[in-house]
Amino acid sequence: MNQNHFSMARACTLIQRNIIENKRYLAMIFGVIFGLTLCISILITKAFHGDDRYYSDVAARTFAIATAFAWIAIITVQVLGSIAFNNLNSKSRRISALMLPAARSEKFFANIAIYLAGGNICLIIFLFASDSLSAAIFGMPPAWTKIPLAEMFQSLQAAEISIAAILGLLWFGLFAQSIYLIGSVLWPRLSFLKTFVALLALQIVLPIILPLDIIGAALTNIFNVFDNWNAPEIVAHIMGWATMLMLYVLLAAMYLIAWHIYKRTEVIQRFKTR
């Protein structure tokens, strides 16, 4: 068996093993996420269910649900990113992970698949389920049924704007998650707290190193160039999608940084165990 090359079959076996080994921990994490989401959804629905005209407004409930779910989603993806490599948070668990008969890339892929890909999919399911259950309890239509899909895709221009908005929101969530993923590799213990403190310190130090007024002035000048430049419509479309592509290239770079840090960390741990 060659453990130096990535094997999808071996990676899938490792995913299954990790899920079985951590089933209680995963059940607790996802149970808390679903329970919290459902409770918040029920409280919001109850507040907007009544005889008063304002509180029975379906549109108001939809806005409140969307706002609450957006905050839940951004916090949850960051938490999922911070626990992606919780199997390295103690010496015994690091040694156990080190001794697994799998390539580094397979171990990295397995953790990403469980906590990031699987976690994000479960989060989406939980949001839709919580909205539907809370709405059914109080006899109101779910917020997701009020998404104007027909208007969003009624024309090519509307479809382009809608797809760009969806991709932009998706990038924002995944990029925030990737930051905490890097923190999880760097600091497996108390990863969320340490990453949060590091980001807070960066926000304090960065304006001192590079004043924000200079950055703001530079960005304003750049945007003014685009505003005043009467570019053909096709060029504007190309530039917009090129910008989106660059954002996702940056996202891929964040995952590559996490991968290289993980490789370096495992090499150091392997050296220490000799």
Side-chain angles (χ1 to χ4, degrees), residues 27-239:
M28 181 190 70
I29 291 295
F30 292 121
V32 169
I33 293 172
F34 179 66
L36 181 64
T37 305
L38 182 60
C39 287
I40 292 176
S41 184
I42 289 175
L43 290 174
I44 291 175
T45 307
K46 182 179 180 181
F48 286 91
H49 179 266
D51 296 329
D52 187 89
R53 183 176 180 181
Y54 173 77
Y55 287 103
S56 62
D57 191 351
V58 174
R61 175 192 177 271
T62 300
F63 177 79
I65 287 287
T67 303
F69 281 8
W71 281 104
I72 292 173
I74 193 61
I75 294 173
T76 302
V77 296
Q78 291 173 352
V79 171
L80 290 172
S82 68
I83 64 174
F85 289 92
N86 68 319
N87 60 332
L88 304 176
N89 61 7
S90 68
K91 184 176 180 180
S92 60
R93 298 190 72 185
R94 285 196 296 271
I95 294 175
S96 176
L98 196 63
M99 295 297 106
L100 285 174
R104 294 191 193 104
S105 56
E106 294 162 0
K107 298 174 188 177
F108 184 81
F109 176 81
N111 284 30
I112 294 295
I114 294 172
Y115 291 99
L116 270 61
N120 292 342
I121 292 172
C122 287
L123 172 62
I124 294 172
I125 294 173
F126 293 162
L127 293 177
F128 278 96
S130 298
D131 179 33
S132 299
L133 287 173
S134 61
I137 292 173
F138 293 94
M140 299 182 72
W144 63 265
T145 61
K146 300 303 177 182
I147 299 175
L149 292 175
E151 290 80 1
M152 290 171 61
F153 297 95
Q154 65 182 354
S155 65
L156 289 176
Q157 183 180 10
E160 183 182 23
I161 295 173
S162 300
I163 293 172
I166 293 171
L167 290 176
L169 291 173
L170 180 63
W171 177 87
F172 179 78
L174 293 178
F175 185 77
Q177 188 175 59
S178 68
I179 296 174
Y180 281 83
L181 172 65
I182 293 175
S184 179
V185 181
L186 283 173
W187 310 296
R189 295 186 62 183
L190 302 176
S191 175
F192 184 87
L193 179 61
K194 291 178 180 178
T195 307
F196 179 80
V197 172
L199 290 174
L200 186 61
L202 185 64
Q203 290 180 359
I204 295 173
V205 173
L206 187 60
I208 300 174
I209 300 174
L210 187 61
L212 293 181
D213 56 345
I214 297 178
I215 300 176
L219 291 175
T220 301
N221 291 332
I222 292 173
F223 288 126
N224 285 338
V225 169
F226 288 118
D227 288 338
N228 298 327
W229 181 42
N230 296 321
E233 185 176 354
I234 185 64
V235 175
H237 288 302
I238 294 174
M239 290 180 61

Side-chain angles (χ1 to χ4, degrees), residues 219-264:
L219 291 175
T220 301
N221 291 332
I222 292 173
F223 288 126
N224 285 338
V225 169
F226 288 118
D227 288 338
N228 298 327
W229 181 42
N230 296 321
E233 185 176 354
I234 185 64
V235 175
H237 288 302
I238 294 174
M239 290 180 61
W241 288 109
T243 302
M244 185 68 70
L245 179 61
M246 289 175 60
L247 290 175
Y248 275 89
V249 169
L250 176 61
L251 177 63
M254 297 292 286
Y255 283 97
L256 284 175
I257 291 171
W259 160 240
H260 284 292
I261 295 174
Y262 176 77
K263 283 199 304 181
R264 178 178 174 273

